[in-house]
Amino acid sequence: MYAVGSKVVHPYHGAGTIVRIQEKSIGDSSNFYYVIDTIPSPREMRLMVPVDDAERVGLRRVGEASNLREMLSALTKAPDEDEIETDFRARKAIMSERLQSGQFAEVVKLVRELFAMSLHRSLGTTDRRFLEQGKEVLAGELALAADVDRAEAMQEIEEKLLEMVPEEE
């Protein structure tokens, strides 16, 4: 069970802080809910997650800033060509699964592969959307973990990605 003030990650909506635990009655049943304010990315949301379903939903604590930054170091190195799915439908399914997992390491893989693709060709709408959503998810969790604002966390991610760009000769 989480306490008020806990920093958590919802797999679909990103990182946020539990602002209260509220009891709600629907009909004859009464349940407790975590009320979570997400970090603005680009807009803030208020989520209500049933306390009893939090684990099933995939709610988890925000990672340690040092661990997250260690995982972000993968963004500096381009993946091998065979790591990137070339079939659009298969890639879309993989990217969707990674994004919805809510797991930082999986989202790092998504961002790394799509950014590497963007260095060789212009990304289509779907790939570009996945890349932007992935960066937002990473920035949100990093911002909460490192106690910085989302823009500063996004800048840190962008700087890591720029290290992947090959130097011109």
Side-chain angles (χ1 to χ4, degrees), residues 61-74:
R61 290 194 186 282
V62 165
E64 292 289 324
S66 59
N67 293 342
L68 299 180
R69 286 186 167 122
E70 188 175 315
M71 286 185 251
L72 284 175
S73 66

Side-chain angles (χ1 to χ4, degrees), residues 69 72 135 138-144 146 148-159:
R69 286 186 167 122
L72 284 175
K135 291 190 311 188
L138 297 178
E141 185 166 357
L142 181 61
L144 272 185
V148 298
D149 69 23
R150 195 199 62 72
E152 191 176 329
M154 182 63 82
Q155 182 177 350
E156 189 173 329
I157 291 163
E158 295 284 353
E159 287 171 359

